[in-house]
Structures are given as C-alpha cells and as structure tokens.
Amino acid sequence: MIDTSKSLLSNTAVYQGLLGIRTTVELNGYFNKVGPNRKDVRFKTAQVDFGGFKVVFPHMDLFGVSGWLETTFVDEHIRICRGNRGSLFV
C-alpha cells in the first residue's frame, strides 16, 4: 500500500510457514521521490506474526533497511512496480 499524500508505504506478506503455520510479515516505511518513476524506500518498522506469536521490530531505520521502487505501469485501476531485489508489485 502506498500513501502518496504522506509519502508512506507498507508491505504485507501472508503465507503458510513452517509446518503450515500462518505467517504474516509486515514492513512499514516512507519514500522519497528521486525521479519521475523511482522512489527510494526506507523501512521504519517490521512485525512478524508466526501463528499468533508476534515479534515487533520498532526501529528498522537504525539498521538502514532500504531499497527502491520503480513504477513501470499505472492507470486508474492498477499500478505495477518493480523493486531493487527483483520484486514485482501489482
């Protein structure tokens, strides 16, 4: 999710983890525009929920966790971005 008015973003992944246990990983951060289609991203917080056991990492910015997103397509219904590690976001 990208909030362009506040330059904030979040990325949530939900999957079946070890032994089929539902695992959720959530990253929250902010971005700076560095070009017409590219945003530099810095993550501030992270949370991992492993079958109801939650671990919060409130100061991810201290570790310099960062990357970039580049928008490759956008219209009124869909946005496609790619990330610095080969990720594709729709």
Side-chain angles (χ1 to χ4, degrees), residues 2 9 31-41 43 66-74 78-90:
I2 299 173
L9 58 85
F31 63 87
N32 295 310
K33 185 175 181 177
V34 294
N37 298 326
R38 187 173 285 207
K39 314 283 188 289
D40 279 344
V41 176
F43 292 104
S66 63
W68 53 260
L69 287 175
E70 186 169 87
T71 301
T72 55
F73 177 81
V74 65
I78 193 167
R79 175 188 305 257
I80 300 174
C81 300
R82 64 183 183 94
N84 63 300
R85 293 191 176 191
S87 312
L88 184 64
F89 301 93
V90 179

Side-chain angles (χ1 to χ4, degrees), residues 9-26:
L9 58 85
S10 67
N11 185 17
T12 302
V14 180
Y15 56 94
Q16 295 297 327
L18 184 66
L19 302 174
I21 297 172
R22 179 184 168 103
T23 303
T24 303
V25 178
E26 181 178 325

Side-chain angles (χ1 to χ4, degrees), residues 39-58:
K39 314 283 188 289
D40 279 344
V41 176
R42 304 257 327 162
F43 292 104
K44 294 173 66 174
T45 64
Q47 177 175 300
V48 178
D49 182 331
F50 184 71
F53 176 73
K54 294 181 183 178
V55 179
V56 177
F57 303 93

